[in-house]
Amino acid sequence: MTDNRIFNFNAGPAALPLKVLEEVKASFLDFEGTGMSIVEISHRSAAFDTVINDAVERTRRLLKLDDSFHVLFLQGGASLQFPMIPMNFLSGDRTADYVNTGTWSTKAAKEAEILGKKIRVAASSEDKNFSYIPENIRFNNEAEYVHITSNNTIKGTQWRKFPDTGGIPIVADMSSDIMSRPLDMEKFGLIYAGAQKNIGPSGVCMVIIKKDFLDRTKDEQLPSMLRYRTFADKNSMYNTPPCFGVYTIGLVLKWLEEEMGGLEEMERFNREKAGLLYDFIDSSDFYLGTAEKDSRSLMNVTFRLCEESLEGEFIKQAQEKGLGGLKGHRSVGGCRASIYNAATREGVQALLKFMENFEKENKT
Ligand SMILES: *Cc1c(COP(=O)(O)O)cnc(C)c1O
């Protein structure tokens, strides 16, 4: 049944663990003996309560969160968080610092500006085409929060160590590396992640908010659907939540706990997979990594061929060999292998072999 599945290096929506997909398939027509599909049951039913509470509890266990955090599942993707964050946390003349490390950070800051909020770009790596993560940043100690993008899906860079903000809460877009490694959540006021990169299908965004950070909001003027408090007060069920997405996230988190052995083990495996690719790229003068070494992402490996005119052929031949999704983002070109949690060692090895052969056949 699974013979024609390819090795999927898509950036998002992206590969999910096969075991999770099989579980979805097996239970799709009759969820837990209800005689209904998960997409047919009421979100007010006891069965769905179990589903959402299980996903919340697994999130808490994996990230070692105590009950000083809310775990929410919202709609609108990561992109709706871009305006929601400044709407909820920057009333009046409150201000925030943003670190610009690429397309998604730029968009996050832009949405705050559209709303007329007072924000400052505290650091940017635009001077070198976003190929690195800035260091030794001086933050404004009046800032309500510091916004960062923990992993830059398009440019292939990742914060290895989070910045020292002198106690200002960090708000982080973790869409493309949530649950890929353990986190010290003490530094964060809020983290958010569109699920479709690393933890589930599209249509649901995981948002984790520290309760005392949420208490600082002045959101009385906002529509209910744009207030974090609306969802925090109702266990994400103010209106119909993205039921199927929450269910699938729960299965992915179960896989993380039971099959992968938690986030320490997940990180070790992610390092191993990325290491195989980067070591090979570094040892070759045919391929060229595009991110600076100490800023490289473990999730999105971006590279070029020294002979750029061969890139189209590289991507085409890879596709023919069952290696999909290697084209870089349309805004940057080149190649990108997205190797999220669900990427297998087998897939990475197949890619390496293909890259080796392609080099031999095309090197002049
Ligand atoms: C994909 C991505 C987004 C956009 O997510 P949507 O859920 O499509 O809004 C935002 N930030 C990062 C880092 C991403 O990788």
Side-chain angles (χ1 to χ4, degrees):
M1 285 308 275
T2 53
D3 284 355
N4 58 353
R5 283 182 58 80
I6 67 164
F7 293 119
N8 177 355
F9 297 97
N10 278 331
L16 288 172
L18 183 58
K19 193 162 171 119
V20 167
L21 298 179
E22 281 169 340
E23 230 173 309
V24 170
K25 187 180 171 207
S27 68
F28 198 68
L29 294 186
D30 179 8
F31 174 68
E32 304 266 324
T34 57
M36 294 176 279
S37 170
I38 180 68
V39 298
E40 296 175 310
I41 66 173
S42 167
H43 60 293
R44 306 288 178 205
S45 63
F48 188 73
D49 248 347
T50 308
V51 168
I52 194 162
N53 291 335
D54 179 67
V56 169
E57 285 315 309
R58 289 188 186 280
T59 303
R60 289 191 187 285
R61 280 203 296 276
L62 281 159
L63 292 173
K64 302 192 170 32
L65 305 177
D66 58 26
D67 59 9
S68 63
F69 291 89
H70 295 289
V71 177
L72 308 178
F73 298 102
L74 309 184
Q75 302 189 50
S79 298
L80 185 58
Q81 311 312 307
F82 297 164
M84 264 179 81
I85 290 159
M87 278 177 169
N88 280 264
F89 296 100
L90 297 182
S91 60
D93 57 4
R94 291 172 171 188
T95 174
D97 272 0
Y98 278 65
V99 182
N100 188 4
T101 52
T103 314
W104 297 115
S105 324
T106 308
K107 287 195 174 181
K110 186 178 148 216
E111 294 299 312
E113 282 162 359
I114 288 173
L115 290 162
K117 302 296 182 184
K118 277 208 323 200
I119 63 149
R120 182 184 79 125
V121 176
S124 166
S125 52
E126 195 169 7
D127 58 334
K128 291 187 190 161
N129 196 21
F130 299 116
S131 59
Y132 69 101
I133 299 291
E135 281 181 354
N136 304 319
I137 306 167
R138 292 180 61 108
F139 294 105
N140 172 9
N141 53 25
E142 301 283 295
E144 284 295 318
Y145 61 84
V146 169
H147 183 279
I148 65 167
T149 310
S150 60
N151 182 73
N152 298 281
T153 326
I154 294 173
K155 299 292 181 178
T157 62
Q158 185 175 28
W159 291 81
R160 290 295 174 83
K161 206 171 143 271
F162 293 109
D164 179 5
T165 58
I168 305 167
I170 300 177
V171 169
D173 177 357
M174 296 199 176
S175 293
S176 50
D177 69 350
I178 188 142
M179 301 287 178
S180 69
R181 53 180 169 174
L183 280 180
D184 174 9
M185 284 294 297
E186 279 312 302
K187 292 182 155 192
F188 297 92
L190 185 156
I191 67 176
Y192 61 102
Q196 68 275 15
K197 311 286 165 54
N198 213 16
I199 53 171
S202 65
V204 49
C205 183
M206 179 184 274
V207 179
I208 299 173
I209 314 180
K210 200 161 199 193
K211 288 181 177 167
D212 63 5
F213 184 62
L214 185 61
D215 287 343
R216 294 193 206 168
T217 57
K218 289 216 169 32
D219 58 6
E220 293 75 14
Q221 308 301 316
L222 297 177
S224 306
M225 283 296 287
L226 298 177
R227 295 157 77 166
Y228 287 113
R229 258 198 290 217
T230 301
F231 297 94
D233 289 347
K234 293 274 190 315
N235 195 24
S236 304
M237 292 194 281
Y238 167 71
N239 68 331
T240 318
C243 298
F244 179 72
V246 173
Y247 165 67
T248 311
I249 288 176
L251 294 180
V252 171
L253 300 180
K254 183 170 124 192
W255 170 84
L256 266 169
E257 288 194 288
E258 294 176 7
E259 303 289 320
M260 300 311 296
L263 297 186
E264 279 84 8
E265 274 305 301
M266 194 66 247
E267 180 179 25
R268 192 198 53 68
F269 186 42
N270 284 329
R271 280 184 189 286
E272 180 192 324
K273 288 182 287 183
L276 288 170
L277 284 172
Y278 286 125
D279 286 349
F280 173 73
I281 288 169
D282 289 341
S283 70
S284 147
D285 50 17
F286 186 79
Y287 300 99
L288 195 69
T290 54
E292 288 187 13
K293 283 190 182 173
D294 54 6
S295 299
R296 282 171 163 174
S297 167
L298 301 184
M299 302 275 97
N300 309 97
V301 177
T302 49
F303 58 97
R304 303 220 63 138
L305 272 59
C306 291
E307 191 64 65
E308 286 182 18
S309 60
L310 284 172
E311 283 170 356
E313 197 52 35
F314 174 86
I315 290 157
K316 182 167 157 272
Q317 287 187 24
Q319 185 75 50
E320 285 162 10
K321 296 221 152 49
L323 302 160
L326 292 168
K327 196 166 166 21
H329 190 268
R330 60 188 187 280
S331 66
V332 293
C335 307
R336 169 177 56 176
S338 295
I339 45 169
Y340 300 117
N341 287 353
T344 58
R345 188 183 283 113
E346 201 190 352
V348 170
Q349 280 163 348
L351 175 59
L352 280 175
K353 199 165 184 71
F354 170 75
M355 289 172 78
E356 250 166 18
N357 286 339
F358 191 86
E359 175 172 348
K360 269 190 211 126
E361 284 163 18
N362 292 280
K363 204 167 179 171
T364 44

